[in-house]
Amino acid sequence: MPPMIQITHLRKEYKDLVAVQDLTLELEKGDIFGFIGPNGAGKTTTIKMLATLLMPTAGSATVDGIDVVKYPEKVRSVVGYMPDFFGVYDDIKVWEYLDFFAAAYRIQKAKRPQIIDDVLALTDLTIKKDAYVESLSRGMKQRLCLAKTLVHDPKVMLLDEPASGLDPRARIEIRELLKELQSMGKTIIVSSHILPEMEEFCNKIGIIERGEMIVAGDVNTIARQVRGQHTIEIGVVDELERAEAILLGMSDIIREVKRTSGLRKLTDAAELGIAQTLQKNGHSSSGGIVQIGYVGEPDEEYRVLQALVQANIKIRMFHTPSADLEDVFLRVTKGHVN
Amino acid sequence: MIENPVLRKELIYRLRPRRGNDTIVGVLIVALLLVGLIYWLFLRWILTDPSSSASGDAWKILTSLQFMIICLSAPAIAANAISLEKEQQTWEMLVFTCLTPSEIIFGKLIARLTGLLGLLSILAPISVIAWVRNQLSSGNIPFTQVVYSFILLTVTAVFFATFGLFVSWLFRRTIYAVMAAYTFVIGFLCIGTAMITSGISMLTSDNNMFESFPLIWMNPFYLIAKALYSGISDYEFHAFHFFTGIMMYVAMTIFMLFFMIFKFRRFSYTR
């Protein structure tokens, strides 16, 4: 089966400016690809080339096996595109707006009402079906644009900064919607500056700077590549010092060991409560959480856990936190723009 | 009923009355009063003037008025058709759909021409009354003259609206598109062609040069004068000049439509 999106040595030039150069990428069905980069890095240019709205200077790109340069009309039938800046027709109602785009995507008239109801339900705009578009808030217009993007049930969605300029609540709504689309098996390319949100639903990321894709691939793999290690958090009920000593002794696979400080989140507070209870019952009070920088093979992480268990350390948590994209982004990019 | 979504949107959604818009109601009342006044003045003139040429003169004035409406409004009506979408940032999403360039272009053009037709149809009944009255009295307006005038009005309306659409497609800002449309229609076709031809005529000291120089055949006022006032004293019809002018309008209209459709991607998308 061909990749859902395949980009090969893509290049875009504007006179003296090289907006995108030698960009190569492959995405499978169901991938959610976070496209990260500073302003002017080439994210929008790349998305527009995939959306058949810009002609590449060189290289090739296919969507669902269809060449974006040779068959732009066919590509549009399988792609949903939401630009970073967009307007809406103010003088029509919400359902009319969606009906217009459904007709423009050649959806039969008889099927349109059901499709409109479905996308309105998905984007939580059913209540606004008969409202004029101009009366919607910015967040609602953003969701309406997403609804419009979905009317022809595209396999691939290209979302350029879908949450830009929105308040936190509207951003959360968009994020939840993207998760819903992810569960529907859509292949999504989403560019955003709000990196912590991307961590939650992107399984792959690409970092682009000055038109060049610096890194691309699985989020955790990239984090590991960039940092040269990946983080594992270990919570121990007591004997934290002894646990640290054991971990420090595994220098072949552990680069650094550090304690986390403060209550990082609510669950830690709950865990602290557990530790206090254990203390009352005669256990040591020196429990806590320790972070290690693991540099060994991914499938040998068990060795760390095994070593601790064999030393009778009481472990209450052993997990890999999601990669910190901001950290990765700052490490990889240099802040250069075209 | 209307299959083209662009045409449907433009006609049904945009032209429908908005909710409680006092300004539009006010404009409509003023327009109705104006139209009523024109009807009253012309009907009184046509029906009560004992002169045998009154109805014929009334028909010519009404046709000239319709022609003026076309010259003044057609470029502006069409010049915002696409540029406004670019300004509102809706254009990119429209061209991203599965609609073909011809569907978008013709949808926009027909919608704008329909608006223009609506404007012209306001004067159509009184124009017909004037001509019928003329046939019943002196009958000095032959049917061929009505046909020529109709052809000229139609071709000019389509040509100017297409030109308005063309510049709207080329420019990103409506203001520049409107300026370009009027510069061409008023500045070049109406004034420029007459001035250039007059200049050449004066330089060559050839009085026949004015009418025989093809540039003047493109002048809308020259064409309407040929259609309406031929046969008066020494003013000849010059069928060749008239139809060459018409054909130049048709040729340019077809060229612009083909250019827009076949170069659609190059100019429509973000560069």
Side-chain angles (χ1 to χ4, degrees):
Chain A
M1 210 168 90
M4 191 54 84
I5 293 173
Q6 186 163 39
I7 301 172
T8 313
H9 303 301
L10 203 64
R11 184 181 178 88
K12 180 66 188 176
E13 293 173 10
Y14 299 96
K15 293 179 182 170
D16 297 335
L17 178 76
V18 180
V20 173
Q21 54 182 315
D22 202 29
L23 197 144
T24 297
L25 179 71
E26 264 191 27
L27 296 179
E28 304 298 328
K29 185 177 185 295
D31 276 344
I32 312 291
F33 180 77
F35 211 12
I36 303 165
N39 291 325
K43 303 186 296 292
T44 299
T45 304
T46 307
I47 287 176
K48 283 191 173 176
M49 282 192 280
L50 279 177
T52 75
L53 294 171
L54 268 181
M55 199 73 90
T57 310
S60 65
T62 62
V63 177
D64 197 21
I66 309 163
D67 192 297
V68 298
V69 176
K70 288 180 185 166
Y71 309 104
E73 289 80 14
K74 285 185 182 173
V75 169
R76 278 181 233 145
S77 65
V78 295
V79 171
Y81 167 61
M82 182 174 169
D84 50 350
F85 297 105
F86 64 90
V88 284
Y89 299 116
D90 283 341
D91 44 10
I92 60 178
K93 293 176 180 176
V94 166
W95 76 265
E96 291 171 337
Y97 180 81
L98 294 173
D99 186 70
F100 167 70
F101 278 100
Y105 280 108
R106 314 250 184 247
I107 293 166
Q108 289 172 14
K109 198 173 180 180
K111 291 181 181 172
R112 280 184 232 152
Q114 185 59 51
I115 289 170
I116 289 168
D117 286 345
D118 289 347
V119 293
L120 283 174
L122 185 66
T123 51
D124 203 17
L125 284 173
T126 306
I127 198 167
K128 293 287 180 184
K129 186 178 177 181
D130 289 311
Y132 274 88
V133 170
E134 66 190 7
S135 71
L136 301 182
S137 68
R138 183 165 177 176
M140 285 177 180
K141 282 181 182 172
Q142 208 94 354
R143 278 188 278 147
L144 178 64
C145 188
L146 256 178
K148 176 231 59 140
T149 308
L150 288 163
V151 286
H152 61 300
D153 191 23
K155 292 178 182 175
V156 172
M157 297 188 70
L158 305 172
L159 311 176
D160 199 357
E161 302 278 355
S164 69
L166 297 181
D167 60 45
R169 177 175 288 278
R171 281 214 309 270
I172 290 166
E173 286 167 356
I174 292 284
R175 190 177 68 200
E176 293 306 312
L177 185 54
L178 292 181
K179 284 180 183 174
E180 184 82 20
L181 295 173
Q182 182 182 22
S183 68
M184 291 163 70
K186 307 275 185 203
T187 304
I188 303 173
I189 291 185
V190 54
S191 77
S192 177
H193 289 127
I194 306 159
L195 304 185
E197 290 186 358
M198 304 262 283
E199 286 171 13
E200 289 194 28
F201 55 84
C202 293
N203 66 324
K204 288 181 180 173
I205 59 159
I207 298 177
I208 187 170
E209 188 173 40
R210 293 217 288 189
E212 271 186 286
M213 187 78 93
I214 303 169
V215 285
D218 174 75
V219 176
N220 288 322
T221 309
I222 287 177
R224 186 188 165 92
Q225 278 174 1
V226 170
R227 294 179 181 142
Q229 62 185 38
H230 83 265
T231 304
I232 297 174
E233 281 186 348
I234 303 165
V236 294
V237 174
D238 56 9
E239 298 184 284
L240 185 61
E241 290 81 5
R242 197 160 70 88
E244 282 176 330
I246 293 165
L247 295 168
L248 284 168
M250 302 175 77
S251 57
D252 57 327
I253 53 172
I254 293 172
R255 185 171 291 172
E256 60 177 357
V257 178
K258 62 178 180 184
R259 288 185 198 185
T260 59
S261 57
L263 299 178
R264 294 188 314 114
K265 51 189 177 183
L266 193 62
T267 50
D268 286 352
E271 283 161 1
L272 185 66
I274 295 166
Q276 284 167 345
T277 309
L278 288 166
Q279 189 186 352
K280 280 180 191 169
N281 295 336
H283 290 279
S284 162
S285 62
S286 58
I289 296 169
V290 63
Q291 266 187 1
I292 62 167
Y294 180 80
V295 292
E297 293 301 318
D299 54 2
E300 288 189 0
E301 281 179 14
Y302 75 92
R303 283 177 58 197
V304 179
L305 186 60
Q306 193 178 42
L308 293 169
V309 170
Q310 282 174 351
N312 285 327
I313 300 291
K314 296 183 183 70
I315 295 165
R316 58 183 172 82
M317 180 181 78
F318 186 92
H319 86 122
T320 306
S322 60
D324 181 352
L325 279 187
E326 277 179 358
D327 179 40
V328 172
F329 179 74
L330 289 172
R331 282 175 191 247
V332 168
T333 58
K334 296 180 180 71
H336 294 150
V337 289
N338 270 326
Chain B
M1 190 177 67
I2 303 165
E3 291 302 320
N4 185 327
V6 176
L7 181 58
R8 186 181 164 80
K9 179 178 77 66
E10 299 266 332
L11 285 183
I12 298 174
Y13 302 149
R14 291 196 61 184
L15 295 179
R16 75 174 162 206
R18 297 299 306 276
R19 304 144 291 158
N21 195 329
D22 296 341
T23 314
I24 290 176
V25 173
V27 168
L28 276 174
I29 290 169
V30 171
L32 275 172
L33 286 172
L34 193 67
V35 170
L37 183 69
I38 290 170
Y39 266 71
W40 181 72
L41 285 172
F42 273 89
L43 277 175
R44 204 178 65 153
W45 183 22
I46 293 163
L47 299 174
T48 60
D49 194 322
S51 158
S52 60
S53 62
S55 54
D57 291 342
W59 178 81
K60 285 174 182 174
I61 289 171
L62 283 165
T63 308
S64 302
L65 197 61
Q66 285 174 310
F67 194 73
M68 286 294 289
I69 290 171
I70 289 172
C71 288
L72 293 175
S73 64
I77 282 175
N80 67 357
I82 293 173
S83 57
L84 200 62
E85 292 231 24
K86 289 176 185 168
E87 286 173 347
Q88 290 177 337
Q89 296 179 316
T90 52
W91 180 242
E92 204 172 55
M93 290 193 290
L94 178 64
V95 296
F96 185 73
T97 62
C98 293
L99 294 171
T100 60
S102 54
E103 280 175 308
I104 296 174
I105 296 294
F106 281 109
K108 292 274 180 194
L109 182 63
I110 294 167
R112 302 294 155 146
L113 281 172
T114 308
L116 190 62
L117 189 71
L119 205 61
L120 295 176
S121 63
I122 294 169
L123 294 178
I126 191 140
S127 197
V128 171
I129 292 168
W131 186 73
V132 170
R133 171 79 174 150
N134 177 264
Q135 296 306 298
L136 295 173
S137 56
S138 63
N140 63 350
I141 306 287
F143 185 66
T144 48
Q145 201 169 354
V146 176
V147 172
Y148 291 163
S149 305
F150 180 75
I151 290 171
L152 180 63
L153 288 179
T154 308
V155 170
T156 309
V158 174
F159 172 50
F160 288 178
T162 306
F163 187 79
L165 192 69
F166 184 71
V167 289
S168 185
W169 173 68
L170 283 180
F171 290 96
R172 288 174 176 276
R173 301 293 299 272
T174 301
I175 183 75
Y176 298 142
V178 172
M179 281 166 60
Y182 277 123
T183 302
F184 178 73
V185 171
I186 307 293
F188 175 68
L189 286 181
C190 295
I191 300 169
T193 52
M195 286 180 69
I196 293 167
T197 313
S198 300
I200 291 169
S201 184
M202 280 164 62
L203 283 172
T204 55
S205 305
D206 182 358
N207 288 337
N208 294 326
M209 182 70 185
F210 187 82
E211 284 224 48
S212 59
F213 193 61
L215 193 65
I216 198 67
W217 305 345
M218 287 171 66
N219 187 302
F221 293 109
Y222 176 80
L223 291 172
I224 192 71
K226 285 290 165 197
L228 297 181
Y229 300 102
S230 56
I232 299 171
S233 65
D234 59 342
Y235 199 74
E236 293 174 37
F237 177 56
H238 288 303
F240 180 71
H241 298 180
F242 180 79
F243 285 109
T244 304
I246 293 279
M247 288 314 293
M248 282 198 269
Y249 282 9
V250 172
M252 282 191 277
T253 303
I254 292 170
F255 171 77
M256 285 186 289
L257 288 172
F258 269 88
F259 193 81
M260 279 189 277
I261 289 165
F262 289 103
K263 295 286 180 184
F264 192 75
R265 290 193 69 182
R266 187 171 169 191
F267 288 92
S268 294
Y269 299 168
T270 318
R271 273 164 281 177

